Amino acid sequence: MSTHGLLSDTVMASFRSIGAPECILLGLSGGADSLALLFILLELKRQERFCLSCVHVNHHLRDESDAEAEWLASLMAKLNVPFKVFDVHVPAGGSPEAQARKVRYEAFDQAMALTGAQVLALAHHADDQAETMLMRLMHGTGATGLAAMRELSGHVWRPFLQTPKESLMAYLEERGQLWLEDSSNQDTRFLRNAIRRCVTPKLEALAPGSLQRMAETAKLLGDEEQAWAVFEDRWLSHHASLDPPLIFLLREHFLCEPVAFKRRLVRRLCSVYGITLDRSQTDALCALPNTGRTSTMTLPGGACAHATKERLHILPASWDGTPDPLPGRVDTVDKLRGLGDGKRSQAFDKDKLEWAVLRFVRPGDRIVPLGMKGSQSMAKYLSDRKIDRPFRRWWPVLAHGNTVLWAVGLGMAQTAAINARTNNRIRYVYRGKLPGDLTNTMEERYSMKAIGMHQDMEKVLISQEEIKEAVVTMGQRISRDYAGKSPVFICILKGAVMFFTDLLRQVHLPLTTDFMAISSYGSSTKTSGVVRILKDLDHDVLGKDVLVVEDIVDSGLTLSYIKKVLGERGASSVKLVTLLDKPQRRRVELAVDYACFQIPNEFVVGYGLDYQERYRNLPYVGVLHPRFYQEETADEEQ
């Protein structure tokens, strides 16, 4: 097969394996590798009909930088490809390569936001992959580091990682296409350049094809890393909490594991707070729980580890910005049977609970333990009961002012106890997790898979109760506005299904329903800007009053398109109904007629909204933690 055919097949296979994105942004340096990827993508675009645009980052580090940007702009104009140049300033201090990489990726992120691209295509090739492996080996690394760059990492797509650079140059030569050469690549003061010019040629001379085989090895190691991640997830779901602010693992189970697996586990725990460990720090952290005594260890960035008899905790440098744990609640039990277990179920003298609220422990809180006359601070109360120090600030209590009436899970206060003079009794049941719980002990237990989904949330933005209340209010409002009419409710699949069905039950009108499926997101976190109808309506809307129900209005492109289509089909009126409205992301002028909530520019999931088809079944709307969709830092970009 020709070089052109091999490259086309490679990119096509990779394109389909990542979900056939509908909008691609190509990072274009003007070198042979990025230009080869450009021409292959242009051919693929004619077949797959995706949106393609290019971005060039001008670092202004070389005299010829401006001329190169102008040359690329001229080429893109001839090819009729949307093209944007970002002029950036590389700050002084630190590694010039690292600083340039940082501002380059910031520019890439801006370009993705402007274009609505789902993926950023970069043309790293097999030679780059081999160089990355050698650099990491020289610095010291394990299997994770040697896996080097991945084909798809967050939103960054690298389809050429198994392709040698000489193939890309040969392809351009066949086309008669010139490319740019970066003169700074000759500077062997930079480690990558020194490896490229001094080391890899000798390796190829000693063992021809060694760079290609190293790239293949990186791919094998990457596949094994994915497999190891499954085992890590399984272990952590049973023996650890990754839900900030309660990050810990169980010491007893941890000590049973081989040291190689321990290293993976502690690195995963630290990654929740963005803490990166070197080899010596990793091994020291693995050894911290060995004695079974309370001990601490300072971690990078001011964070720390805290080992107790039962757990190994990871604590952030600051609690600022760290979300509170998901709150529990207390429910009243109608039928009183006994006094309860004193832990999660407790009978009280109702008259002594006036104005009591469920909250976390606060400084200054005091309690009179059951059976005692004098009070003591909650700090001492929790310490006496061997509660791990990291749990104490998050311990739920039922309190009036600074007087604690019930330390949930531990015991009630004498001041709220039932006695011979009690006239009114009430029994509360606490429903929720206590610090240290890995699953709820009440009937509201989550499955292990569900726990993992909850742990993926940075915070709960809108609770299940808030959603229910808003949907009821919205249904009542629509019922009033459309009194005497028989509107058609159109659900936009798939995200709006939960909201749609709950809303219909609150609308007390004769109505009909229909469904449309629209493609604009694919598997990314940003709308692509390209709208296609995947499933059309089953019924005519001519002369009908239509309400289009969506889960979220973001850019407005999808609903603007649908509203136009329905108007052209003769609908008498078209109103827009959404659970969530995100006006900061709007790219077109669009008025939303009915919105339950207006939210900030954060990536949300749950209650029908997904990321890569996950999280739809969460009962609330949560903010997905960025670590699940942001790009992992790469060693080198175009």
Side-chain angles (χ1 to χ4, degrees):
M1 184 180 293
S2 67
T3 301
H4 169 247
L6 287 171
L7 294 181
S8 295
D9 288 351
T10 295
V11 177
M12 173 64 86
S14 182
F15 172 80
R16 290 176 175 170
S17 72
I18 67 169
E22 297 173 352
C23 193
I24 298 171
L25 175 69
L26 172 62
L28 195 65
S29 68
D33 35 17
S34 62
L35 283 178
L37 183 54
L38 168 67
F39 288 110
I40 295 296
L41 286 175
L42 286 173
E43 292 180 7
L44 185 61
K45 177 176 180 286
R46 288 193 287 270
Q47 177 179 339
E48 297 295 324
R49 302 181 67 80
F50 55 78
C51 172
L52 176 66
S53 55
C54 294
V55 58
H56 174 73
V57 181
N58 186 348
H59 301 87
H60 294 283
L61 295 176
R62 295 174 288 111
D63 293 338
E64 61 269 29
S65 295
D66 290 341
E68 290 175 349
E70 292 174 4
W71 182 81
L72 281 172
S74 176
L75 177 61
M76 294 302 101
K78 292 177 183 177
L79 296 172
N80 195 28
V81 175
F83 180 65
K84 173 70 175 176
V85 175
F86 279 79
D87 293 289
V88 299
H89 170 68
V90 180
S95 164
E97 288 179 302
Q99 295 284 27
R101 183 164 55 245
K102 181 176 182 295
V103 296
R104 181 164 57 250
Y105 261 85
E106 289 173 352
F108 285 156
D109 288 341
Q110 293 178 48
M112 289 197 71
L114 288 173
T115 61
Q118 294 168 279
V119 294
L120 170 68
L122 298 177
H124 294 110
H125 44 73
D127 299 41
D128 293 325
Q129 186 77 307
E131 293 162 6
T132 300
M133 288 186 73
L134 288 169
M135 288 176 64
R136 293 186 176 182
L137 191 59
M138 293 168 69
H139 287 134
T141 189
T144 304
L146 290 176
M149 296 177 281
R150 312 294 173 84
E151 181 180 2
L152 182 66
S153 181
H155 58 249
V156 176
W157 175 41
R158 301 180 176 94
F160 279 161
L161 286 179
Q162 300 300 305
T163 303
K165 182 170 185 176
E166 63 181 7
S167 296
L168 306 179
M169 296 171 67
Y171 167 62
L172 291 182
E173 288 172 351
E174 290 175 5
R175 290 183 60 94
Q177 175 63 53
L178 300 176
W179 63 85
L180 300 174
E181 291 285 357
D182 186 342
S183 60
S184 65
N185 288 339
Q186 310 300 316
D187 190 346
T188 55
R189 291 175 299 174
F190 298 114
L191 179 58
R192 182 177 289 273
N193 291 343
I195 291 174
R196 182 177 298 158
R197 295 185 60 79
C198 305
V199 178
T200 55
K202 293 183 179 180
L203 288 176
E204 281 294 308
L206 289 169
S210 58
L211 297 188
Q212 181 66 38
R213 290 190 293 273
M214 290 172 68
E216 292 168 357
T217 300
K219 174 67 166 61
L220 291 174
L221 289 171
D223 292 342
E224 291 183 5
E225 283 297 302
Q226 290 183 324
W228 272 113
V230 173
F231 290 108
E232 291 171 24
D233 290 342
R234 189 175 301 163
W235 193 97
L236 292 166
S237 69
H238 286 82
H239 308 306
S241 168
L242 297 181
D243 190 10
L246 304 177
I247 307 300
F248 65 87
L249 55 75
L250 299 180
R251 173 178 176 270
E252 178 184 1
H253 298 280
F254 180 72
L255 294 180
C256 296
E257 299 299 337
V259 65
F261 195 51
K262 287 180 181 178
R263 292 183 184 124
R264 290 177 174 271
L265 295 174
V266 298
R267 286 198 298 264
R268 278 288 296 276
L269 250 66
C270 289
S271 70
V272 176
Y273 290 128
I275 303 167
T276 302
L277 305 177
D278 62 24
R279 173 66 180 276
S280 62
Q281 292 166 337
T282 300
D283 286 346
L285 184 54
C286 287
L288 192 65
N290 288 351
T291 65
R293 295 192 296 269
T294 299
S295 53
T296 60
M297 171 183 164
T298 301
L299 299 176
C304 74
H306 182 80
T308 67
K309 184 178 179 180
E310 296 182 355
R311 300 173 186 86
L312 173 64
H313 299 263
I314 305 297
L315 309 178
S318 170
W319 293 113
D320 294 341
T322 303
D324 289 346
L326 292 175
R329 70 175 193 274
V330 289
D331 290 340
T332 304
V333 178
D334 294 331
K335 295 182 180 180
L336 289 174
R337 293 182 181 178
L339 298 178
D341 62 10
K343 307 297 183 184
R344 296 175 184 265
S345 173
Q346 182 64 57
F348 297 92
D349 185 325
K350 184 177 181 181
D351 296 334
K352 298 176 180 178
L353 297 183
E354 188 176 10
W355 306 112
V357 296
L358 183 70
R359 59 170 174 78
F360 297 123
V361 168
R362 294 174 182 168
D365 282 351
R366 299 187 68 83
I367 185 171
V368 179
L370 189 65
M372 296 178 61
K373 294 184 178 179
S375 69
Q376 62 181 202
S377 70
M378 278 302 297
K380 178 171 173 35
Y381 181 86
L382 295 171
S383 176
D384 289 347
R385 283 152 183 79
K386 310 300 181 186
I387 300 301
D388 286 4
R389 185 178 297 275
F391 290 159
R392 295 175 194 174
R393 67 181 292 142
W394 310 115
W395 204 269
V397 294
L398 189 67
H400 177 200
N402 283 121
T403 300
V404 173
L405 306 174
W406 184 24
V408 180
L410 299 175
M412 71 179 300
Q414 182 65 42
T415 48
I418 293 171
N419 56 37
R421 294 187 296 275
T422 298
N423 295 316
N424 298 307
R425 297 188 179 195
I426 189 171
R427 182 170 169 183
Y428 284 147
V429 173
Y430 178 78
R431 304 188 188 278
K433 292 172 63 177
L434 292 174
D437 286 351
L438 297 182
T439 61
N440 281 337
T441 57
M442 305 304 290
E443 63 267 33
E444 295 179 344
R445 296 184 180 188
Y446 298 122
S447 68
M448 296 313 301
K449 184 174 182 180
I451 291 171
M453 291 193 295
H454 292 292
Q455 291 171 343
D456 293 352
M457 298 303 111
E458 188 172 43
K459 63 182 177 181
V460 174
L461 188 64
I462 305 171
S463 70
Q464 185 175 2
E465 291 73 21
E466 290 172 318
I467 293 172
K468 182 177 180 180
E469 182 179 347
V471 171
V472 170
T473 301
M474 182 66 71
Q476 294 171 346
R477 181 183 168 193
I478 292 174
S479 297
R480 290 194 300 269
D481 292 351
Y482 283 79
K485 299 180 180 180
S486 300
V488 179
F489 282 74
I490 297 175
C491 175
I492 305 303
L493 300 172
K494 308 175 189 172
V497 169
M498 290 187 181
F499 175 48
F500 184 74
T501 54
D502 286 347
L503 177 64
L504 291 187
R505 284 192 284 267
Q506 304 302 325
V507 176
H508 306 295
L509 296 169
L511 57 85
T512 56
T513 62
D514 213 329
F515 298 85
M516 293 183 79
I518 306 295
S519 172
S520 66
Y521 270 87
S523 60
S524 83
T525 65
K526 300 181 177 72
T527 184
S528 66
V530 179
V531 181
R532 294 188 297 179
I533 297 178
L534 302 180
K535 182 209 174 295
D536 210 336
L537 300 175
D538 295 326
H539 306 289
D540 192 2
V541 295
L542 181 64
K544 303 290 182 64
D545 293 305
V546 175
L547 288 141
V548 180
V549 181
E550 179 64 291
D551 54 354
I552 184 169
V553 180
D554 190 295
S555 68
L557 293 169
T558 300
L559 284 181
S560 177
Y561 173 77
I562 293 173
K563 191 171 184 179
K564 177 184 176 183
V565 168
L566 296 176
E568 291 173 347
R569 294 181 182 181
S572 177
S573 67
V574 180
K575 295 292 181 71
L576 306 180
V577 184
T578 184
L579 174 70
L580 307 174
D581 186 16
K582 194 189 293 186
Q584 288 177 276
R585 292 282 298 164
R586 200 80 86 238
R587 293 171 59 185
V588 296
E589 195 73 31
L590 181 71
V592 177
D593 302 285
Y594 300 94
C596 290
F597 302 97
Q598 190 171 103
I599 64 171
N601 186 21
E602 296 182 286
F603 189 69
V604 293
V605 294
Y607 195 63
L609 288 90
D610 77 303
Y611 173 58
Q612 295 183 346
E613 294 300 326
R614 297 189 63 204
Y615 310 110
R616 292 191 192 277
N617 56 322
L618 289 176
Y620 54 78
V621 174
V623 177
L624 184 62
H625 198 289
R627 70 178 181 272
F628 293 99
Y629 58 86
Q630 283 185 343
E631 151 71 352
E632 300 170 5
T633 301
D635 285 84
E636 182 65 26
E637 289 83 20
Q638 294 303 103

